[in-house]
Amino acid sequence: MDLDRPPDIVVIAGGAPIDRAQASVVSPDARVVAADAGVDRARSLGWRVDVAVGDFDSLDPQHAARLPRDKDATDLELALDVALEAAPARVLVAGIEGGRPDHALANLLVASSDRFARLEIELSLEGGRAWVVRDELTGSLPAGAVVSLVAVHGPATASVDGVRWPLDHDLLDAGSTRGVSNRSTGGALTLAVHDGTVLCIAPRTMEDDR
């Protein structure tokens, strides 16, 4: 996965607004799947919504075509199911937070689940970017940028170059902070996941805003 490749599909929920720099690389041909109030988010960016899913309990009433509120999946999960119909595809997921830590955690875990393994998933977060990595992630980040590797759904074995503290087939246990707060050296970044699934997170720090 190339960390800067534009997405084929955008899945947008109604949480935190997508970073404008990330929104600018979305092609007009990209398919947009909106979850609940993500319809309003997409329209505010000038995007045409191809598919809208959810119970629409958070949507501007004039746009609502409601489904049952009592369901066994979040609106984002339903939207990812729609994206899965076009797999394999590169998917940008946005708006998963919005002040609900339970939704944010659940949506991160859903996006990184084996169910969506046929999708290359990048997440636009309120405080940065993240990628679900099962094989390889390549690209570049500014020198000094924070890079954190978090194993999800079980342990993972990973190697990473282009960071201050490289890894070479190191074990990352789920629930461990072993891969947190590394730093990019500013050159080519290569993350190889040999086993398991890793969330690679590049948070935006106070230094980035100076």
Side-chain angles (χ1 to χ4, degrees):
M1 185 193 313
D2 179 346
L3 60 82
D4 287 317
R5 182 189 142 197
D8 306 304
I9 302 170
V10 178
V11 170
I12 185 166
I18 184 173
D19 181 86
R20 288 283 175 173
Q22 287 176 278
S24 69
V25 306
V26 175
S27 165
D29 296 327
R31 191 179 191 210
V32 176
V33 181
D36 200 77
V39 171
D40 290 333
R41 284 268 185 250
R43 288 174 173 166
S44 72
L45 291 163
W47 292 345
R48 180 195 72 251
V49 174
D50 295 288
V51 181
V53 300
D55 54 30
F56 302 110
D57 58 337
S58 303
L59 184 63
D60 184 325
Q62 67 177 320
H63 298 150
R66 297 181 185 278
L67 296 177
R69 295 185 63 181
D70 295 331
K71 56 189 186 303
D72 295 327
T74 64
D75 294 331
L76 181 77
E77 185 174 357
L78 296 174
L80 283 171
D81 280 335
V82 173
L84 190 59
E85 295 172 5
R90 177 69 179 268
V91 179
L92 175 63
V93 177
I96 71 168
E97 295 155 296
R100 286 285 302 269
D102 52 342
H103 276 202
L105 177 58
N107 287 334
L108 281 169
L109 293 175
V110 163
S112 59
S113 69
D114 287 345
R115 177 176 172 182
F116 300 111
R118 295 182 63 219
L119 300 174
E120 290 187 356
I121 294 180
E122 176 183 355
L123 301 114
S124 175
L125 305 176
E126 190 169 4
R129 304 168 68 187
W131 300 266
V132 179
V133 187
R134 294 182 173 84
D135 42 32
E136 187 172 77
L137 178 70
T138 60
S140 61
L141 293 170
V146 175
V147 181
S148 290
L149 307 179
V150 180
V152 287
H153 304 293
T157 305
S159 300
V160 62
D161 290 309
V163 291
R164 183 174 178 184
W165 297 285
L167 302 179
D168 182 7
H169 290 79
D170 283 54
L171 176 65
L172 303 176
D173 281 318
S176 166
T177 57
R178 172 76 173 84
V180 172
S181 293
N182 214 325
R183 294 272 179 174
S184 168
T185 56
L189 175 75
T190 301
L191 167 63
V193 176
H194 311 290
D195 184 59
T197 303
V198 168
L199 275 176
C200 177
I201 304 170
R204 186 171 58 250
T205 63
M206 287 187 291
E207 289 93 337
D208 299 326
D209 296 328
R210 289 175 185 169

